[in-house]
Amino acid sequence: MEKSKQSLSIIKIGGNIIDNPTELAHFLADFSKIEGNKILVHGGGKSATKMAQSIGLVPQMIDGRRITDKPMLDVVVMIYAGEINKNVVAQLQAHNTNAMGFSGADGNLIQSTKRNHPTIDYGFVGDVQKVNTPLLQTLINSGIVPVFCAITHDKNGQLLNTNADTIASELAIAASEVFEVTLNYCFEKAGVLTDVEDENSVIEQINSALYTQLKEEGAIHSGMIPKLDNCFNSLSKGVQKIKIGHHRMLQNKAALHTTITL
């Protein structure tokens, strides 16, 4: 008889949670209470943008994705892998959660290639190629809670800025070989909304047919589309369940949120 897989929660935070110390403290308290195996993935774009502007760099975005030239790469490595990652790890340790911070380069955990786009030069932006699942499993089985920032590497010494939603989904896909994975995208809204001004306009269930329809109708905010594309890709590759919403859904099962299924 096949041995049943252990469960694993992967939680990605970004946006206003990272930028708001009070909100971040509440989230980390909730995250610490999640029982069992867990991984935290964080972005931090707004902090990086603020730092870049303070030293005279002008952030460039195309379709919600950051263009990362060399000076901007230095900033995102410093903010994501340094300031944010270590602060999050320290706060989790204060909650007796044995967290350890990682970039993709550490232990060769996440290897990427520099994005090769036919018309846009994204600069030092990575597309994930490979996750070191055996090491990830070893860390988790040792009681470590990995905390990943949005930096990967190309195995040739180059660090790469990598979309944190994508990192979360690629970790979830890789880990689903050995764990039963639930992927949670936590941000400041209650879920996928039909009206960004109305917190209660949450679409509670989205499957692939409804997603296609909502996109055709223009009913989903453009910033949410890359996130949802990642979700459906993850589900098609073995991830059990995906939830999107405010982090209160981690502790309160009744909290409004969006569940994504195929």
Side-chain angles (χ1 to χ4, degrees):
M1 197 171 111
E2 194 185 338
K3 193 172 163 220
S4 67
K5 292 177 179 176
Q6 288 187 348
S7 63
L8 170 66
S9 299
I10 298 181
I11 291 98
K12 187 268 171 176
I13 54 165
N16 294 358
I17 299 176
I18 287 284
D19 294 325
N20 180 330
T22 309
E23 195 71 20
L24 181 61
H26 285 164
F27 165 77
L28 293 172
D30 282 352
F31 178 81
S32 296
K33 291 178 192 139
I34 296 170
E35 291 181 1
N37 304 312
K38 54 195 173 188
I39 293 174
L40 180 57
V41 180
H42 65 80
K46 292 176 186 174
S47 310
T49 299
K50 219 175 349 185
M51 171 63 81
Q53 287 166 339
S54 76
I55 57 171
L57 299 177
V58 180
Q60 291 174 278
M61 309 283 279
I62 294 183
D63 298 335
R65 304 222 182 231
R66 188 186 293 279
I67 304 290
T68 308
D69 59 11
K70 182 65 175 75
M72 184 57 81
L73 180 68
D74 292 344
V75 169
V76 296
V77 170
M78 181 168 64
I79 297 292
Y80 298 175
E83 184 188 13
I84 293 173
N85 190 266
K86 298 309 157 203
N87 276 320
V88 165
V89 168
Q91 287 189 57
L92 286 173
Q93 291 292 353
H95 287 290
N96 297 316
T97 292
N98 195 14
M100 194 180 277
F102 295 101
S103 73
D106 296 294
N108 189 27
L109 276 161
I110 308 172
Q111 201 175 314
S112 295
T113 53
K114 190 166 178 282
R115 179 168 301 163
N116 183 7
H117 191 278
T119 56
I120 301 163
D121 181 5
Y122 282 97
F124 294 97
V125 167
D127 289 320
V128 175
Q129 299 299 310
K130 200 165 69 175
V131 171
N132 185 344
T133 312
L135 178 55
L136 196 62
Q137 188 177 13
T138 299
L139 289 165
I140 290 165
N141 289 345
S142 305
I144 298 292
V145 175
V147 177
F148 282 93
C149 68
I151 301 292
T152 59
H153 76 136
D154 67 356
K155 201 73 162 69
N156 295 309
Q158 181 62 59
L159 293 170
L160 295 165
N161 185 14
T162 305
N163 181 276
D165 285 347
T166 306
I167 286 178
S169 69
E170 292 291 348
L171 285 168
I173 291 163
S176 65
E177 293 170 27
V178 284
F179 294 100
E180 191 163 301
V181 178
T182 301
L183 177 54
N184 301 270
Y185 285 110
C186 294
F187 68 148
E188 67 277 9
K189 304 288 186 190
V192 181
L193 308 176
T194 52
D195 175 1
V196 288
E197 301 303 317
D198 178 6
E199 274 290 322
N200 294 314
S201 66
V202 174
I203 309 166
E204 292 187 47
Q205 299 277 344
I206 300 179
N207 60 21
S208 34
L210 178 59
Y211 180 46
T212 304
Q213 182 191 327
L214 291 168
K215 274 200 295 191
E216 282 168 2
E217 291 168 358
I220 292 182
H221 187 268
S222 61
M224 189 56 75
I225 287 174
K227 193 185 289 284
L228 289 169
D229 286 344
N230 272 332
C231 291
F232 285 105
N233 179 49
S234 305
L235 290 167
S236 71
K237 292 177 176 172
V239 175
Q240 285 282 314
K241 196 194 312 181
I242 301 182
K243 297 193 282 189
I244 296 179
H246 190 274
H247 64 79
R248 66 178 78 91
M249 71 182 180
L250 299 176
Q251 287 305 315
N252 178 2
K253 299 285 183 276
L256 213 52
H257 63 274
T258 301
T259 301
I260 317 281
T261 53
L262 278 178

